[in-house]
Amino acid sequence: KWASAAQISAIVSSTASFQILFLEAVTKLKIAVRECRDADPDVGVNPTLNPIDEAAALLIGSMEGAKLGGSADLEDGKLIYNIANRHAFQFNTLNQFQYSDSVSTIEDLLFAARGELDALDCENLERSAEAIVKYSMVGIIQACIQLAVSNEDLSEFSTSGDLAMGEGLAVSILPLIHNVDPALATSIETNMIRVPGEEPVPDGGVAVGKMLGKGFTKALLLHCHNLGSISRVNPCEGVVCPECTGGKTGSVSSAKQTKSMW
C-alpha cells in the first residue's frame, strides 16, 4: 500500500526503531530484573554484558554521543532519545538544559537501575525498569499527535512519508491502549493506519490528538502533562486520571511511583 520510496523508508525505519529495537530494550530490562532475583546474594550479578547498559544502548543509540541528553543536532540519532528531543520544543517539554524532560527522567532511571542491579535491590530495579518503558513512550505519542495534525491535510493519493511514519509509530503504541480500552484503540487505528483510497485522519488531528492523550494516561497511568501540548491541540484537555502518577520532571522517586502495567 506504500507507493513511494519515502513511505517505504519511513515504515521500515519506524518499525526498526520503535518496535523491534524498543522491544529488545524492554527485554533487556526484564532480563536485568530476572538476573537480580536469581542472583546469589553473596556473589551478586556480574554479567559479561550488563543488561541495563544494553537497554540504554538500544534506547539511545551511538549517534547521540556521550553527552547527557543526547546530541544537540536533531539529525543525529534515530531512537527513543531522538524522537523525544525532536518534539520537546514543539510540545514545550524541554528541561532547563534544553533537552526533553522525558529523556532526563529516562537517564536518571537508567543510572538508578544500574546501581539497583549492582546492589540486588530487585524491587526498586523492577520499578525503575517499568518507569523507563513508560517514559520512553512520551516521544512516540508526541510524534503521533504531531503527525495526526499534519497528515489530516494530505489527500488519499499522497505519497508523503509522514503517512507511513504515523502508521509505524501508532502500531508501536496501539497494543498498550487496546489492553485498557479496545474501543479507543480502534478509533486511533481508524485514523492512523492507512487504508488505500481513503483520506487520512478522517476524524481530524485535534480529535485524534485528544484520543492519544487519553490513551497515554489510561495505558501507562502517567500524568498527561508529561506530553505537553502544541498550538492546535492540547492532548490533555478533558483527561481525568485520578490513579495516574509520575511527575513531569526528572525526579527518580516520582517517576518510580508509577503504577504497574507489567
Side-chain angles (χ1 to χ4, degrees):
K1 68 183 179 182
W2 305 116
S4 70
Q7 290 177 332
I8 294 170
S9 174
I11 197 68
V12 170
S13 64
S14 61
T15 299
S17 297
F18 305 113
Q19 296 178 50
I20 298 171
L21 293 179
F22 180 63
L23 287 175
E24 182 66 11
V26 174
T27 299
K28 296 298 183 183
L29 292 169
K30 290 189 174 184
I31 287 172
V33 174
R34 186 189 67 206
E35 289 186 352
C36 182
R37 297 195 186 284
D38 291 346
D40 184 334
D42 296 325
V43 177
V45 176
N46 187 28
T48 304
L49 291 175
N50 188 308
I52 299 298
D53 291 344
E54 291 181 283
L58 291 162
L59 295 171
I60 301 168
S62 61
M63 292 175 67
E64 296 287 357
K67 183 180 177 181
L68 288 177
S71 174
D73 186 349
L74 294 180
E75 295 305 313
D76 292 339
K78 296 293 183 184
L79 304 178
I80 292 297
Y81 264 37
N82 179 262
I83 199 169
N85 282 332
R86 187 178 291 272
H87 291 88
F89 176 79
Q90 184 182 19
F91 280 81
N92 194 29
T93 53
L94 287 171
N95 67 7
Q96 61 179 322
F97 303 109
Q98 298 303 296
Y99 62 90
S100 169
D101 279 327
S102 64
V103 164
S104 176
T105 302
I106 292 167
E107 283 180 344
D108 291 343
L109 288 164
L110 285 167
F111 283 121
R114 206 177 193 287
E116 289 154 359
L117 179 59
D118 289 342
L120 298 186
D121 185 358
C122 305
E123 184 175 341
N124 274 317
L125 173 60
E126 185 169 17
R127 291 190 185 123
S128 292
E130 184 167 351
I132 289 166
V133 174
K134 290 184 174 186
Y135 280 91
S136 293
M137 303 305 293
V138 170
I140 295 175
I141 297 282
Q142 288 174 331
C144 283
I145 294 169
Q146 184 271 317
L147 287 165
V149 170
S150 60
N151 286 349
E152 72 170 314
D153 296 324
L154 301 176
S155 77
E156 63 269 34
F157 306 110
S158 174
T159 58
S160 170
D162 284 351
L163 289 172
M165 181 61 72
E167 177 167 325
L169 292 172
V171 168
S172 68
I173 56 98
L174 278 170
L176 292 173
I177 297 174
H178 188 273
N179 283 342
V180 296
D181 193 331
L184 179 61
T186 298
S187 295
I188 295 170
E189 180 179 346
T190 298
N191 286 275
M192 298 298 292
I193 305 301
R194 176 78 181 277
V195 177
E198 295 187 8
E199 289 191 2
V201 199
D203 292 325
V206 172
V208 177
K210 292 178 180 179
M211 293 178 198
L212 288 162
K214 183 178 180 181
F216 172 84
T217 57
K218 294 188 75 172
L220 303 179
L221 297 178
L222 283 181
H223 282 303
C224 191
H225 63 213
N226 286 283
L227 291 176
S229 62
I230 54 177
S231 59
R232 286 185 58 185
V233 56
N234 176 6
C236 301
E237 183 179 346
V239 172
V240 178
C241 186
E243 69 271 33
C244 284
T245 55
K248 182 178 178 181
T249 54
S251 165
V252 171
S253 60
S254 176
K256 287 165 66 171
Q257 289 171 7
T258 59
K259 296 184 179 181
S260 177
M261 67 176 187
W262 283 359

